[in-house]
Amino acid sequence: MCNECGATAALAVPVASGPEETVPICFADGTVFDGICDHCGQAVHYAFPEAQLCETCRDNAYAHF
C-alpha cells in the first residue's frame, strides 16, 4: 500500500542495474520509496532506517516508553 496516496498499487519492482535489487514504487502516483515497513507493510520513506520502520510505526513503538 502506498503511504502517500493510499492506493494498493505500490510494489517492489526489480531495477535494471541489478534484477536481484528491488525498489518500491507506487504505480498510482509514481512515488519511489525507501522500502517496505517491516511492521505495517506499507511502502514508505523510512523514519528509522536501521529498523526499517515508517514514521507511524516508530511513533507507536516509542509511545510505550
Side-chain angles (χ1 to χ4, degrees):
M1 175 174 264
C2 178
N3 196 31
E4 298 289 323
C5 73
T8 56
L11 300 170
V13 296
V15 294
S17 62
E20 65 282 345
E21 182 182 348
T22 60
V23 174
I25 186 169
C26 177
F27 287 99
D29 66 8
T31 304
V32 177
F33 296 95
D34 296 335
I36 306 293
C37 177
D38 280 347
H39 186 72
C40 68
Q42 288 193 32
V44 295
H45 300 290
Y46 291 133
F48 187 36
E50 294 81 6
Q52 296 186 339
L53 292 176
C54 68
E55 185 175 350
T56 302
C57 292
R58 180 204 58 196
D59 292 347
N60 290 340
Y62 287 162
H64 296 285
F65 295 103

